[in-house]
Amino acid sequence: MELTASLLEKYSKPGPRYTSYPTAPYFDEKFGASAWLDELQQTQASGRDLSLYVHIPFCDSLCYYCGCNMVATQNYSKATQYLGFLFQEIERMAALTLPGRTVRQIHWGGGTPTYLHPDDIRRLFAHLRASFNIAADAEIGCEVDPRELSREHVQALADSGFNRLSLGVQDLDLTVQQAVNRVQSASLIHEVYGWMRDAGIPSINMDLMVGLPHQTVASFSQTLEQIIAMAPDRLAVFSYAHVPWMKKHQKLIQETDLPDLPTRIALQQLLLEKLTHAGYVYIGMDHFAKPDDELVKAQRNKTLYRNFQGYTTHKDCDIYAFGVSAISQTDEVYVQNAKNLAEYQQRIAAGGLATERGLRISREDRLRRDAIVRIMSDLELNKMEFSRHWQIEFDSHFADALSELADMQADGLIELHAEVIRVTETGRLFLRNIAMCFDAYLKQPAVNEPRYSRTL
């Protein structure tokens, strides 16, 4: 794979990660709780399965790189109070859901879901199980911070039925860890990973991050070697998104300490070389998995999908999301809960849903979303099949996209054929940029303030 400074410089620009289309900045407060209630009632007979997301915002301490909706506190009573509101929200949504609908996927994110005490992990999951019809083979995942974790936490997750855990590592170099206020030794990661294997967790993912302060090729190479030796089932290696205008605490990171352009290029090359040599398949969008992993099989079979939970094998599911800032989705609607913790709790206390804003998407939105998802999941888009499905003439409908894609073909990111658009090996690093060509909203007049992190 050829990755040059000129390519990185040309395509490293602000852009969405496309966990939705249209993206969250276009959600509108005019679409609120009453509109979401109507949508819930109208879609119960759709026959679509469910995916449940639960947001636990709490962390013991602040990681300076964090881009999530989180609350750093060591006052556990806040979590106890939050669970009370969360249970109410779950009960209200369950009351609106036909009993026959099946939950195929559950994911807990944060913050740090394992901030919860082991007994509360069991209590929360038992509440979900009592409220919804969860399939026996459901994919049940949770994000895990190794710090403050105990073997009892891991056992509580296993007892509850979690079968996929994502272990937050980021980097094993002490200098990097100190710069982002997340110190966790390699021995701790080994120990926690061992607990997960001992508990029989079938699939373990490790989250890493490139572009952090003081990161070098030599230091990150050592991190990768230690991680590869542990042989996690999946790896998510995210590029650090420096957005201090959105996340004020990122100002605690000195921009002069961030890797320069040549280092970022070298880090990307290092990732691809070491992980592919170790036998991992590069799916795209920072994700690697072993060849027998479900994500790899789904990509091969063209059944991979992308939504707010990232890459998934569960395409035809409505997402019901619980907790502060959580985003729910049906085929035609997105809604987001209040992003402020106090506001979220006030809305639940008032007896309604926590919806703050949302969007009903048009047929054109759905059409373009399909194109973006296919590119990011299949790494190709069959123009003839797409045209038949949507009853359009592809080249005229996407004339704007094709003119941009022609430049990308010249740069070796894609191959443009009469019947198919295909992403090259090099292009996998630039999936966000390729998808942006199909984004009609980006072609509207620019806003004053940046909305997105850089694509690389």
Side-chain angles (χ1 to χ4, degrees):
M1 179 183 294
E2 184 179 356
L3 181 61
T4 64
S6 60
L7 273 183
L8 191 61
E9 192 165 17
K10 179 177 181 178
Y11 290 105
S12 180
K13 56 186 177 182
R17 296 188 65 85
Y18 292 112
T19 49
S20 72
Y21 180 84
T23 53
Y26 295 98
F27 296 179
D28 194 325
E29 291 185 4
K30 293 177 182 177
F31 193 103
S34 61
W36 176 228
L37 180 60
D38 289 343
E39 174 69 6
L40 286 170
Q41 293 170 339
Q42 292 169 15
T43 54
Q44 287 309 309
S46 67
R48 285 163 62 92
D49 291 330
L50 297 176
S51 174
L52 307 182
Y53 174 76
V54 180
H55 191 79
I56 307 296
F58 305 104
C59 295
D60 284 303
S61 60
L62 173 66
C63 300
Y64 298 161
Y65 60 78
C66 184
C68 303
N69 186 299
M70 58 80 66
V71 176
T73 180
Q74 295 187 7
N75 180 2
Y76 193 77
S77 66
K78 291 185 177 181
T80 302
Q81 182 185 46
Y82 180 76
L83 283 175
F85 291 107
L86 202 55
F87 290 168
Q88 291 181 59
E89 184 183 18
I90 291 169
E91 290 164 6
R92 282 173 202 161
M93 287 292 289
L96 295 166
T97 305
L98 286 178
R101 299 187 72 183
T102 303
V103 175
R104 299 292 177 187
Q105 182 182 42
I106 299 173
H107 187 79
W108 291 9
T112 303
T114 50
Y115 179 92
L116 297 178
H117 290 167
D119 285 347
D120 282 335
I121 289 174
R122 290 187 173 92
R123 193 159 62 97
L124 174 54
F125 197 86
H127 208 82
L128 286 173
R129 193 175 291 282
S131 302
F132 291 94
N133 175 34
I134 301 174
D137 61 348
E139 178 184 308
I140 307 175
C142 182
E143 297 167 13
V144 175
D145 184 339
R147 304 169 300 165
E148 312 297 330
L149 194 74
S150 68
R151 188 184 284 272
E152 288 71 27
H153 281 92
V154 176
Q155 194 58 53
L157 292 168
D159 291 345
S160 297
F162 284 84
N163 48 38
R164 294 192 184 279
L165 298 183
S166 292
L167 181 59
V169 177
Q170 319 315 340
D171 196 309
L172 293 177
D173 183 81
L174 180 59
T175 301
V176 175
Q177 291 179 353
Q178 289 173 335
V180 297
N181 197 39
R182 188 187 178 97
V183 176
Q184 49 191 23
S185 66
S187 60
L188 174 63
I189 303 300
H190 276 276
E191 182 178 40
V192 170
Y193 183 78
W195 293 344
M196 294 176 178
R197 289 301 187 198
D198 290 344
I201 302 299
S203 180
I204 301 175
N205 174 83
M206 287 195 181
D207 293 336
L208 302 178
M209 190 170 286
V210 292
L212 294 174
H214 302 297
Q215 217 168 39
T216 67
V217 172
S219 68
F220 198 64
S221 180
Q222 292 181 6
T223 289
L224 285 175
E225 287 170 6
Q226 294 178 77
I227 296 302
I228 288 169
M230 284 186 272
D233 302 285
R234 297 178 183 175
L235 283 158
V237 193
F238 301 105
S239 295
Y240 168 58
H242 193 60
V243 287
W245 60 87
M246 293 174 59
K247 300 294 179 180
K248 303 300 182 186
H249 58 262
Q250 289 187 352
K251 292 180 180 179
L252 296 169
I253 291 177
Q254 301 298 316
E255 292 194 23
T256 53
D257 293 337
L258 296 174
D260 59 16
L261 185 61
T263 303
R264 284 160 53 202
I265 295 171
L267 285 168
Q268 293 288 354
Q269 293 280 33
L270 176 73
L271 271 173
L272 293 167
E273 290 169 7
K274 277 196 172 292
L275 293 181
T276 54
H277 184 263
Y280 289 91
V281 176
Y282 183 38
I283 295 169
M285 278 297 293
D286 318 313
H287 283 66
F288 298 80
K290 291 183 177 179
D292 59 349
D293 190 274
E294 289 182 6
L295 291 182
V296 176
K297 293 177 182 177
Q299 186 173 67
R300 197 177 297 131
N301 298 332
K302 295 185 172 22
T303 56
L304 192 63
Y305 193 66
R306 187 162 176 81
N307 60 22
F308 285 106
Q309 296 179 25
Y311 282 115
T312 177
T313 58
H314 300 278
K315 174 183 178 181
D316 295 317
C317 287
D318 289 342
I319 299 174
Y320 289 176
F322 308 106
V324 60
S325 77
I327 299 178
S328 299
Q329 174 184 347
T330 64
D331 191 38
E332 295 186 4
V333 164
Y334 300 112
V335 292
Q336 183 171 28
N337 283 351
K339 291 184 284 186
N340 176 273
L341 180 59
E343 176 66 20
Y344 164 78
Q345 294 181 164
Q346 287 169 10
R347 287 172 184 255
I348 296 298
L353 300 175
T355 312
E356 182 174 75
R357 61 187 189 134
L359 182 70
R360 179 175 294 281
I361 66 176
S362 66
R363 182 182 186 276
E364 181 66 15
D365 291 333
R366 292 171 61 215
L367 182 156
R368 288 182 176 263
R369 177 178 67 185
D370 190 24
I372 288 169
V373 169
R374 295 278 58 83
I375 283 286
M376 301 190 83
S377 300
D378 299 345
L379 305 177
E380 66 178 31
L381 180 58
N382 188 302
K383 294 159 61 176
M384 306 303 289
E385 290 180 2
F386 192 93
S387 295
R388 283 194 296 269
H389 178 78
W390 288 100
Q391 295 296 297
I392 61 166
E393 203 290 310
F394 190 97
D395 286 359
S396 60
H397 196 98
F398 286 115
D400 55 346
L402 289 170
S403 64
E404 297 177 45
L405 291 170
D407 189 35
M408 292 186 173
Q409 177 174 238
D411 288 332
L413 307 188
I414 61 165
E415 297 172 358
L416 283 175
H417 302 286
E419 294 190 0
V420 67
I421 300 168
R422 186 169 291 118
V423 179
T424 65
E425 286 293 317
T426 302
R428 291 186 184 209
L429 281 171
F430 300 90
L431 280 179
R432 290 166 71 180
N433 300 85
I434 297 169
M436 286 163 66
C437 298
F438 295 92
D439 189 334
Y441 290 83
L442 293 180
K443 297 172 176 61
Q444 296 176 359
V447 295
N448 294 326
E449 188 175 342
R451 286 178 168 174
Y452 305 112
S453 63
R454 301 188 79 81
T455 54
L456 289 166

